[in-house]
Amino acid sequence: MKILFDKTAVLGHGECYVAVDGEYISYIGKERPSGEFDRVIGTKNKLICPALYNCHTHSAMQFLRGYGEDLPLDRWLNERIFPAEDRLTPKIVYISSKFAIAEMIKNGICSFSDMYYFCDKTAEAVGETGIKANISRSIVSFDNSANHSKDNRFLESVELYNKFHNAFDGRLKVEFSLHAEYTNVPSMVKYVADYASGKDIAFQIHLSETEKEHNECIGRHGITPTEFFECNGILECPTSFAHCVWLTDNDMDILKRYNSTVVHNPVSNLKLGSGVMRLSKMLEKGINVSLGTDSSASNNTLDILKEINFAALLQKGTERDPSSVKAEDIIKLATENGAKCQNREDCGVLAVGKKADIIMIDTDRINNIPSYSPVYTLVYSANSSDVCFNMVDGKVLYENGEYKTLDIERLKHEMKELQKDFI
């Protein structure tokens, strides 16, 4: 299908027309392109932007939004979340994943990275809704002498990879996940690293989220969590590390050397009292940093525009330097760097030949007037309610409040019914 966006403000390009042919952007320019189009999209008072990436979440935890509040991470997990997760079912994971996807689509997200279980149900939700995702089955281990080749979580990861990797025309990628250092023994980490070696397998891992976690690892092993994963071979594979609040300078140098990605989750880290990641330091070192929301249970929203704003303001405030991070760099975290995190080389930017992952922001909202710079409007003024259009791989998923690939009213009803049964 050939689609033309009327001339309007295009982030990074000025006033332009944008044409889409199938899954790809075919034209960006000042003059109206020749030829016939199946559809011309009106763009009055709209800002065209690359769609956003949520590079760390647990989508099925949408069901636990508001279930555990005002607790530090260890108590939040052990007193509220882990007991509740023992009661989850494949049906709950499927509906909750789909509901999370609906929220992400509405908020301008084109792709998300997910770590959980019953992952085949999340995969089904991805396939049905048209979004992109990198999903992983979280592995934990506590017996250093166990036969890890027979571990159920590992075997589920292998099965998930064999069944769904690059499914749905490449929209879905399957990765492996080691939950964290504190939930895994060295022999499992080494085993999984050896299994992944030479294969098209990437990893998702929680890393140095809290000071307690970081220091207890040093107490157990005499090294930091980053050094732990390096010693056990994981960093030889493409890896995204979520949180990274308590990294040392040496940890950062290690991640840069292996071209790993750090996923900044500012809102979740604030809400759980975990601290503030040193974003500007990581950017100075050239580390690829992307953005994540974490789950709705620790954040309450799946809103990357909110993360963009918090990421910018936090660094300025904690460093007492308004120039410590630039608006342009923050947008990159949510777009180009997110695509790099997910190993999607043909995504993340508005350019001819790249995938047509496009959102539009309504700049006629009162919070966006006046606008002297699209970049500053997007980072400091806009919010998720201003997203009025979301296209993924050239397919419109959301437009002016209407979902194109899911029945939102039915989905809302199903979530409410599940909650009644759960309570």
Side-chain angles (χ1 to χ4, degrees), residues 35-301:
E36 297 295 320
F37 292 91
D38 299 296
R39 184 182 174 195
V40 177
I41 296 176
T43 57
K44 184 179 179 182
N45 296 318
K46 303 297 189 296
L47 170 63
I48 291 177
C49 305
L52 308 173
Y53 283 75
N54 183 359
C55 289
H56 179 63
T57 192
H58 314 277
S59 58
M61 292 181 77
Q62 193 85 344
F63 188 68
L64 300 176
R65 185 184 347 236
Y67 190 75
E69 303 292 7
D70 300 330
L71 295 170
L73 178 64
D74 55 347
R75 290 187 58 201
W76 177 77
L77 286 171
N78 290 302
E79 295 176 19
R80 296 297 290 169
I81 299 305
F82 288 158
E85 286 181 328
D86 285 341
R87 300 168 58 200
L88 298 185
T89 65
K91 179 181 179 181
I92 292 174
V93 169
Y94 169 71
I95 293 174
S96 297
S97 295
K98 206 166 182 179
F99 202 78
I101 288 168
E103 182 175 347
M104 286 189 275
I105 288 173
K106 178 185 72 68
N107 290 344
I109 293 166
C110 67
S111 192
F112 66 100
S113 294
D114 202 76
M115 179 196 298
Y116 214 56
Y117 55 98
F118 296 133
C119 296
D120 55 329
K121 296 303 177 184
T122 302
E124 289 176 22
V126 170
E128 293 169 9
T129 55
I131 202 169
K132 292 189 267 211
N134 290 32
I135 66 173
S136 61
R137 201 283 182 227
S138 186
I139 295 172
V140 299
S141 57
F142 299 101
D143 184 354
N144 220 26
S145 63
N147 183 350
H148 301 308
S149 67
K150 297 185 181 299
D151 182 90
N152 285 339
R153 297 175 182 86
F154 169 73
L155 293 175
E156 287 175 21
S157 299
V158 173
E159 182 181 7
L160 185 73
Y161 182 87
N162 290 336
K163 184 176 181 180
F164 286 109
H165 187 51
N166 288 322
F168 313 121
D169 297 319
R171 284 192 290 111
L172 179 63
K173 295 179 181 292
V174 174
E175 299 179 335
F176 277 47
S177 169
L178 292 159
H179 176 266
E181 174 277 327
Y182 63 91
T183 49
N184 277 286
V185 291
S187 59
M188 173 60 94
V189 178
K190 288 177 183 175
Y191 180 80
V192 177
D194 288 342
Y195 177 84
S197 180
K199 299 182 179 69
D200 179 27
I201 293 176
F203 282 88
Q204 300 179 32
I205 299 174
H206 296 104
L207 186 72
S208 294
E209 183 173 358
T210 66
E211 186 177 24
K212 180 175 183 284
E213 167 200 338
H214 186 84
N215 290 339
E216 287 183 351
C217 176
I218 296 172
R220 273 190 294 272
H221 304 292
I223 53 178
T224 68
T226 301
E227 293 165 337
F228 171 84
F229 285 113
E230 181 191 25
C231 289
N232 289 298
I234 284 297
L235 274 74
E236 300 292 340
C237 302
T239 307
S240 62
F241 290 104
H243 303 296
C244 299
V245 177
W246 293 94
L247 297 189
T248 66
D249 286 356
N250 184 58
D251 290 339
M252 295 182 198
D253 291 337
I254 291 170
L255 297 183
K256 171 57 182 173
R257 186 161 66 247
Y258 287 94
N259 294 316
S260 301
T261 289
V262 165
V263 187
H264 187 21
N265 298 260
V267 174
S268 177
N269 292 153
L270 284 176
K271 186 164 183 276
L272 292 171
S274 301
V276 178
M277 193 190 86
R278 292 190 291 160
L279 173 60
S280 59
K281 185 72 172 180
M282 295 190 197
L283 294 179
E284 284 174 18
K285 287 180 176 287
I287 296 171
N288 187 61
V289 181
S290 59
L291 289 175
T293 60
D294 211 342
S295 74
S296 290
S298 66
N299 184 325
N300 300 74
T301 63

Side-chain angles (χ1 to χ4, degrees), residues 10-13 25 47-53 108 110 331 334-336 347-351 355 357-360 378 390-391:
V10 180
L11 196 70
H13 295 273
I25 296 171
L47 170 63
I48 291 177
C49 305
L52 308 173
Y53 283 75
C110 67
I331 292 173
T335 55
E336 186 176 351
C347 302
V349 296
L350 296 177
K355 286 290 184 74
D357 300 332
I358 297 170
I359 64 172
M360 287 197 292
L378 188 62
N390 190 347
M391 167 186 280

Side-chain angles (χ1 to χ4, degrees), residues 327-364:
E328 294 87 346
D329 294 331
I330 296 295
I331 292 173
K332 221 178 144 183
L333 267 56
T335 55
E336 186 176 351
N337 291 11
K340 184 177 180 182
C341 170
Q342 291 193 344
N343 299 304
R344 297 183 184 273
E345 296 178 358
D346 56 354
C347 302
V349 296
L350 296 177
V352 173
K354 298 293 186 179
K355 286 290 184 74
D357 300 332
I358 297 170
I359 64 172
M360 287 197 292
I361 303 293
D362 185 351
T363 55
D364 201 38

Side-chain angles (χ1 to χ4, degrees), residues 264 277-284 308-317 319 321-330 333 376 379-380:
H264 187 21
M277 193 190 86
R278 292 190 291 160
L279 173 60
S280 59
K281 185 72 172 180
M282 295 190 197
L283 294 179
E284 284 174 18
I308 285 174
N309 186 262
F310 268 74
L313 300 184
L314 269 174
Q315 295 304 306
K316 295 171 187 293
E319 296 184 23
D321 179 3
S323 65
S324 58
V325 289
K326 300 288 195 285
E328 294 87 346
D329 294 331
I330 296 295
L333 267 56
Y376 298 151
V379 174
Y380 300 121

Side-chain angles (χ1 to χ4, degrees), residues 372-390:
Y372 297 104
S373 161
V375 171
Y376 298 151
T377 295
L378 188 62
V379 174
Y380 300 121
S381 303
N383 58 62
S384 59
S385 67
D386 301 329
V387 176
C388 56
F389 181 93
N390 190 347

